[in-house]
Amino acid sequence: MAGVIIVGAQWGDEGKGKVVDIYTDEADLVVRYAGGPNAGHTLVVGSEKVVVRLVPSGILRRDALCLLGQGTVVDPKVLVGELDTLDAKGLSPRDRMRVAERAHVILSYHILVDGLREATTSAIGTTKRGVGPCYEDKAARRGIRLRDFRNRADLAARVTKALAAWAPTIVALGGEVPTVESVVEDAWAAGQNLLPLLADTAALTERALRDGKRVLFEGAQGTLLDVDHGTYPYVTSSSAIAGGACTGVGIGPSRIDAVVGLAKAYCTRVGGGPFPTELEGEVADRIRKVGAEFGSVTGRPRRVGWVDLPALRYAVRLNGLDSIALTKLDVLAGLQTIRACVAYDTPSGRTREFPVDELESATPVFSDFPGFSQDVSSAKSLEELPKEALDFVRFVEAEVECPLSIVSIGPGRDQTIVLAHPLRDA
Ligand code: IMP
């Protein structure tokens, strides 16, 4: 049995696509456990790039079965669009994809409400894909699930109830309440298209684990965007942390053998909310450009900052990380000085903890490191890294008290120093 969780240890966009792709070589099953079309991975299919928001990155490996667990929220039109695109590229994704029949569905009014709210002063910078309102419906026990697409009259009755609950909000935000028929019609064909893929993904996952298969649980977003433990209220609406894999898929914690956290050698954040190590000016522009730090879903330029070690320690603790995959080290090449936040000064004194609820009044304390000018992207081992780069990497590892399993030094598969392979070694 081998169950390994890959989880973002920062604010998302830590390079999950690439690391999942590397681990998937050894995986029989890849399961996404949370989030929806707010995530985005760029897949390289032949010579072309395809951005997918829902389909797990594992779809590129022809022998891995990919699942969307019931903790995810699915926009049927987006998912069908992605499957059609991958189909057109000869990947036959429908043969290797199953979707939780109990996953909640994003419908047109969720996207409408998300957009209307983001046009007000209480905007938090969401991806406007309807993710938050869909999770709201789930918690309010009026959500629509994929299994509800088996019967149109039944679906319409459920939509009627949900729309009645949303109507006052839509009107107060200046929107127009859609008709039940228009909502159903908008999603019906895509919902029908997905029916053959619906399954009890919790049971499938448990069976696979019992049969000795290797299962990769693919997180979305990151620890600091988790609805319970992130920088609330500037968070997403799901359990992005490793614990979310158990509830989101429907398996017990005893089934998990290892948890790998992903962290960039610096930090980025998209949308609003506190970001104490944020950089502006020339260095930020350079990191953004070299690191291609633009949202793959929204195209928004990402906010950029130095690595935050108290935040990373927080992620190690919350996720029970066994190791860290440190990504995008190459992006720092050419900077004269590299900084790392090691502690915070808060009104109640200096702390090495991440002051998650006091970030606005906390000042980061930095340690400075000499930069490295050499290109690191062809290094095959840590020893081949320039001394300055290695010192920085070793400092991060020691400060967060968690060993590194990967150091990624470029976008290519071969630009990866693999120190440990949890799926192979589990
Ligand atoms: P939502 O998930 O669209 O509701 O957005 C809530 C917050 O999470 C916003 O700050 C988004 O920018 C952020 N967010 C959601 N998905 C991602 C992601 O995949 N990467 C980075 N930030 C994300």
Side-chain angles (χ1 to χ4, degrees):
M1 185 170 89
V4 174
I5 300 173
I6 303 276
V7 62
Q10 296 165 327
W11 278 285
D13 308 314
E14 298 93 350
K16 272 179 233 81
K18 174 179 163 176
V19 175
V20 168
D21 186 44
I22 284 170
Y23 285 159
T24 306
D25 258 352
E26 305 286 331
D28 301 300
L29 211 64
V30 181
V31 193
R32 249 192 81 175
Y33 61 83
N38 45 355
H41 295 312
T42 306
L43 304 180
V44 181
V45 187
S47 55
E48 285 173 68
K49 285 188 176 169
V50 182
V51 175
V52 289
R53 301 194 240 147
L54 280 163
V55 172
S57 327
I59 205 74
L60 288 187
R61 304 267 150 251
R62 287 180 188 272
D63 39 8
L65 182 66
C66 291
L67 308 181
L68 287 179
Q70 59 213 41
T72 61
V73 286
V74 177
D75 181 328
K77 289 197 295 184
V78 171
L79 181 53
V80 168
E82 288 178 9
L83 293 170
D84 286 348
T85 303
L86 295 169
D87 217 358
K89 301 202 179 303
L91 284 174
S92 313
R94 287 178 172 82
D95 298 346
R96 290 178 299 109
M97 177 97 196
R98 297 290 174 272
V99 186
E101 60 171 352
R102 287 192 267 160
H104 280 251
V105 179
I106 297 176
L107 293 167
S108 58
Y109 49 89
H110 296 125
I111 299 169
L112 173 67
V113 170
D114 205 355
L116 288 170
R117 283 180 179 157
E118 283 298 303
T120 70
T121 49
S122 25
I124 67 148
T126 74
T127 59
K128 297 195 237 178
R129 307 292 164 175
V131 169
C134 182
Y135 279 116
E136 281 175 62
D137 270 355
K138 173 176 170 172
R141 295 167 293 210
R142 57 168 186 252
I144 312 295
R145 298 181 295 174
L146 280 168
R147 67 198 307 279
D148 299 327
F149 275 80
R150 291 195 177 114
N151 181 314
R152 189 162 175 143
D154 182 45
L155 175 66
R158 290 175 194 276
V159 169
T160 305
K161 276 194 194 156
L163 258 189
W166 281 113
T169 306
I170 295 173
V171 171
L173 288 167
E176 197 179 317
V177 182
T179 63
V180 170
E181 188 44 34
S182 71
V183 171
V184 172
E185 182 56 26
D186 182 58
W188 182 253
Q192 295 308 292
N193 191 299
L194 293 177
L195 286 184
L197 304 189
L198 300 192
D200 181 343
T201 48
L204 274 179
T205 306
E206 172 68 6
R207 188 70 261 157
L209 286 164
R210 279 182 185 269
D211 289 347
K213 301 264 168 64
R214 291 155 306 174
V215 181
L216 193 65
F217 297 93
E218 178 180 333
Q221 288 80 46
T223 302
L224 302 175
L225 289 172
D226 180 90
V227 67
D228 290 296
H229 304 282
T231 49
Y232 195 86
Y234 297 95
V235 294
T236 190
S237 302
S238 63
S239 295
I241 61 166
C246 292
T247 50
V249 177
I251 45 135
S254 58
R255 298 293 183 261
I256 304 300
D257 297 287
V259 186
V260 181
L262 265 82
K264 281 195 266 223
Y266 49 96
C267 256
T268 60
R269 167 159 213 170
V270 199
F275 186 7
T277 65
E278 184 164 14
L279 274 163
E280 267 160 30
E282 225 175 274
V283 177
D285 291 344
R286 184 195 163 106
I287 294 178
R288 191 175 296 113
K289 188 162 166 239
V290 179
E293 296 295 357
F294 297 88
S296 47
V297 173
T298 58
R300 291 183 285 181
R302 295 179 184 143
R303 298 160 69 193
V304 171
W306 297 117
V307 73
D308 185 331
L309 299 179
L312 211 45
R313 279 194 283 273
Y314 182 63
V316 170
R317 168 161 70 78
L318 281 174
N319 296 298
L321 295 187
D322 294 294
S323 69
I324 289 180
L326 190 70
T327 61
K328 294 194 150 184
L329 180 66
D330 53 299
V331 174
L332 298 181
L335 296 176
Q336 205 148 45
T337 305
I338 300 169
R339 312 190 84 192
C341 167
V342 291
Y344 276 97
D345 280 333
T346 71
S348 43
R350 184 163 289 190
T351 175
R352 278 168 54 81
E353 300 292 317
F354 185 58
V356 66
D357 289 319
E358 286 185 280
L359 285 174
E360 265 99 359
S361 58
T363 314
V365 179
F366 288 103
S367 281
D368 287 358
F369 297 81
F372 48 95
S373 50
Q374 304 91 316
D375 173 25
V376 293
S377 59
S378 54
K380 296 287 171 237
S381 66
L382 287 186
E383 291 66 39
E384 286 181 30
L385 291 175
K387 179 180 178 311
E388 294 80 3
L390 184 57
D391 285 351
F392 176 70
V393 165
R394 288 296 187 208
F395 179 81
V396 169
E397 186 177 39
E399 278 285 299
V400 301
E401 297 180 79
C402 186
L404 298 176
S405 43
I406 277 187
V407 177
S408 172
I409 46 175
R413 278 181 127 251
D414 53 341
Q415 294 170 315
T416 317
I417 303 173
V418 180
L419 304 164
H421 196 310
L423 264 185
R424 207 184 294 149
D425 307 338

